């Protein structure tokens, strides 16, 4: 295990409210595929275990006793079959049998079990919940090693997006774009994709998590691409929206509206800024733009209070990113979830701090499932120019997303090398 992970464990230990309890963190085990075979899903160690060790080791355990201040990292013995069939080598760590000895010597003490469940460990649910909250909060600020990996991931992602200008022409399929995009990620150092890539043409651009299909690009289509590279488990999450051929005036206006809101919010990603406030500010500004474009009617602040904006902006402003595409989000320790309905889509509710890496991803979409719903049409009859909406129901939508590192001063856009023009 690297020096960075040793330092990470040393930093983390005093921040965990264990008292006389023990910490046990499991890596997890492979899960078999549902059909009758000897195959398993690709193994990925639980993120909480990986954060402490940097190992992808099935069946491994890391444990900590605050009374002696020592960490114990135990790994199973690699079998001959694993060496022959998988080419595995023995990872660093103590034999797994030492964990049973360690646990037996501390019999009767409460245990916080993070990561995957560990056989033979009876966790204390209340202690586990308290420790997990502190553990999650402690790893929100990225250390230098994590930021280095995120920069590598961002560079590989930028290389993928750089191939798009030569690809996006009428006649290409969503699947073909996905193939070339992801191939460029791998050619420039990616160890995988951070999540299932989203490539949507025309009306598909309004489907929030659209899997690429066989749709062929047509002149005038919006193209929404949400994809990112993974480098050693650290992920970049980027969205850009393009047009096949010259954009029309409406497409330019919608794209500029979303882009302007994104840039405004990025500038406000500073220490102490409340994420919920940034989300609501983005909602008001997007709504104000739709009022100016003649799509919505009324006072923007009032429209957001009534949740009318969710017809066109149905998701949260963004989330934390790092060790996984949605990393260490949730609530500030001690904070209760905000009961306001307009905030229910937020994946995080906390003040920003130096070292946090967040996505900023405002979007506006014309989603038939929302806009054709009779109950919503009745509820928001006076909020929307429905006659103006009707011809837009097959136009798709616009989302623009960057990954932002919060610093003590100006925020740093890790994905700034990826152009945001139509």
């Amino acid at each position: 295990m690297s020096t960075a992970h040793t330092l990470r464990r040393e930093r983390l230990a005093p921040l965990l409210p264990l008292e006389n309890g023990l910490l046990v963190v499991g890596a997890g085990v492979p899960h078999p595929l549902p059909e009758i075979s000897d195959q398993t899903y690709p193994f990925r160690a639980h993120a909480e275990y990986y954060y402490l060790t940097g190992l992808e080791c099935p069946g491994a355990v890391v444990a900590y006793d605050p009374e002696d201040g020592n960490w114990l990292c135990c790994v199973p013995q690699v079998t001959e079959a694993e060496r022959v069939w998988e080419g595995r080598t023995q990872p660093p760590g103590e034999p797994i049998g030492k964990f049973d000895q360690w646990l037996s010597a501390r019999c009767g003490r409460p245990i916080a079990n993070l990561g995957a469940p560990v056989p033979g460990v009876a966790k204390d649910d209340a202690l586990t919940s308290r420790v997990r909250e502190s553990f999650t909060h402690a790893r929100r600020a990225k250390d230098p090693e994590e930021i280095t990996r995120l920069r590598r991931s961002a560079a590989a992602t930028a290389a993928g997006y750089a191939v798009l200008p030569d690809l996006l022409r009428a006649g290409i399929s969503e699947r073909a774009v996905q193939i070339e995009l992801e191939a460029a990620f791998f050619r420039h150092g990616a160890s995988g994709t951070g999540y299932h890539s989203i490539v949507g043409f025309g009306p598909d651009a309004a489907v929030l998590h659209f899997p690429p299909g066989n749709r062929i690009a047509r002149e005038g289509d919006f193209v929404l691409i949400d994809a990112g590279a993974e480098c050693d488990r650290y992920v970049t999450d980027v969205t850009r929206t393009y047009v096949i051929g010259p954009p029309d005036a409406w497409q330019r206006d919608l794209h500029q509206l979303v882009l302007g809101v994104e840039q405004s919010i990025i500038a406000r990603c500073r220490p102490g800024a409340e994420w919920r406030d940034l989300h609501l500010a983005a909602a008001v500004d997007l709504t104000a733009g739709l009022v100016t474009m003649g799509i919505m009617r009324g006072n923007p602040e009032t429209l957001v209070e009534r949740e009318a904006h969710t017809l066109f902006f149905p998701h949260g402003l963004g989330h934390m990113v790092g060790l996984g595409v949605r990393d260490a989000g949730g609530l500030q320790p001690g904070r209760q979830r905000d009961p306001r309905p307009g905030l229910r889509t937020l994946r995080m509710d906390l003040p920003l701090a130096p070292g946090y890496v967040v996505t900023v991803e405002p979007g506006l979409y014309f989603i038939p499932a929302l806009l054709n719903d009779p109950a919503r049409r009745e509820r928001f009859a006076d909020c929307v120019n429905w006659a103006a909406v009707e011809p837009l129901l097959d136009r798709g939508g616009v989302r623009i997303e960057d990954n932002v590192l919060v610093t003590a001063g100006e925020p740093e856009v890790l994905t700034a090398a990826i152009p945001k023009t139509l």
Side-chain angles (χ1 to χ4, degrees):
M1 279 164 274
S2 70
T3 301
H5 290 93
T6 300
L7 294 174
R8 194 174 292 168
R9 293 194 296 272
E10 291 175 353
R11 177 183 66 82
L12 186 73
L15 303 177
L16 302 179
L18 286 165
E19 300 173 351
N20 73 322
L22 305 171
L23 174 66
V24 173
V25 187
V29 296
H31 291 279
L33 293 171
E35 65 269 14
I36 300 174
S37 75
D38 60 356
Q39 300 296 299
T40 64
Y41 289 101
F43 177 75
R44 287 168 72 89
H46 194 290
E48 291 172 337
Y49 172 86
Y50 188 88
Y51 180 79
L52 295 171
T53 67
L55 297 178
E56 298 281 12
C57 183
V61 179
V62 60
Y64 175 72
D65 183 350
E67 291 192 358
D68 60 28
N70 292 324
W71 289 86
L72 176 70
C73 300
C74 294
V75 297
Q77 183 68 34
V78 174
T79 66
E80 180 182 86
E82 289 168 335
R83 294 178 188 274
V84 170
W85 289 93
E86 302 173 32
R88 290 179 56 190
T89 58
Q90 185 63 35
E94 300 290 335
I96 195 67
K98 283 198 173 183
F99 171 69
D100 295 329
Q101 299 169 14
W102 181 90
L103 197 60
S104 296
R106 293 159 176 80
C107 184
R109 291 170 62 183
I111 300 172
N113 183 180
L114 301 189
V118 177
V121 170
K123 69 174 180 176
D124 181 301
D125 289 336
L127 179 63
T128 297
S129 179
R130 292 195 301 272
V131 171
R132 173 165 279 126
E133 181 181 62
S134 296
F135 185 99
T136 299
H137 187 62
R139 71 184 190 88
R140 282 176 174 145
K142 304 305 178 227
D143 62 33
E145 171 65 20
E146 293 180 287
I147 292 172
T148 295
R149 293 191 184 191
L150 285 167
R151 292 190 193 283
R152 288 172 46 214
S153 173
T157 302
Y161 276 84
V163 308
L164 296 178
D166 292 333
L167 290 177
L168 295 179
R169 301 287 186 273
I172 195 168
S173 70
E174 293 168 342
R175 182 70 71 197
V177 170
Q178 176 198 13
I179 290 167
E180 298 303 324
L181 176 73
E182 293 179 358
F185 290 168
F186 285 106
R187 291 190 185 104
H188 290 83
S191 52
T193 58
Y195 47 95
H196 294 299
S197 298
I198 297 165
V199 181
F201 294 168
D204 293 346
V207 182
L208 301 181
H209 286 169
F210 188 80
N214 295 320
R215 182 184 288 274
I216 300 300
R218 301 177 305 174
E219 197 78 9
D221 275 352
F222 266 135
V223 176
L224 190 149
I225 298 177
D226 185 336
E230 177 182 281
C231 288
D232 299 327
R233 294 287 297 268
Y234 283 79
V235 171
T236 295
D237 183 1
V238 171
T239 308
R240 295 291 186 264
T241 305
Y242 309 92
V243 174
I244 300 295
D248 61 30
W250 178 82
Q251 288 172 320
R252 286 196 301 270
D253 289 347
L254 193 69
H255 186 272
Q256 187 56 47
L257 168 56
V258 175
L259 177 59
V261 172
E262 193 228 18
Q263 292 173 327
S264 172
I265 296 298
I266 287 173
R268 296 174 60 178
C269 287
R270 295 171 179 269
E274 287 283 353
W275 190 249
R276 61 183 134 175
D277 292 343
L278 297 182
H279 170 78
L280 290 172
V284 169
D285 289 348
L286 290 169
T287 302
L290 291 178
V291 171
T292 299
M293 292 176 69
I295 293 169
M296 298 191 76
R297 294 170 170 155
N299 176 273
E301 288 82 2
T302 303
L303 291 170
V304 169
E305 288 173 5
R306 293 181 58 185
E307 300 184 295
H309 68 288
T310 61
L311 291 168
F312 305 97
F313 178 39
H315 58 76
L317 176 63
H319 49 83
M320 304 195 85
V321 69
L323 182 51
V325 70
R326 297 192 180 103
D327 181 42
L331 304 176
Q332 181 81 354
R335 181 173 289 185
Q336 299 298 312
R337 184 168 294 279
D338 194 301
R340 287 177 286 178
L343 298 176
R344 64 179 175 269
T345 58
L346 291 191
R347 298 186 183 276
M348 53 190 265
D349 184 359
L350 40 80
L352 298 181
Y356 287 15
V357 180
V358 298
T359 70
V360 176
E361 49 179 309
L364 290 170
Y365 319 86
F366 292 80
I367 304 173
L370 296 179
L371 296 170
N372 285 333
D373 175 51
R376 288 183 174 87
R377 289 230 175 186
E378 180 179 356
R379 178 183 174 188
F380 299 118
D382 61 330
C383 302
V384 176
N385 179 356
W386 293 104
V389 165
E390 292 296 338
L392 303 175
L393 289 175
D394 64 348
R395 299 297 301 272
V398 172
R399 180 167 67 252
I400 304 173
E401 175 184 20
D402 281 293
N403 297 180
V404 181
L405 171 62
V406 181
T407 74
E410 293 281 337
E412 179 185 350
V413 181
L414 298 178
T415 49
I418 303 172
K420 292 187 269 197
T421 57
L422 277 175

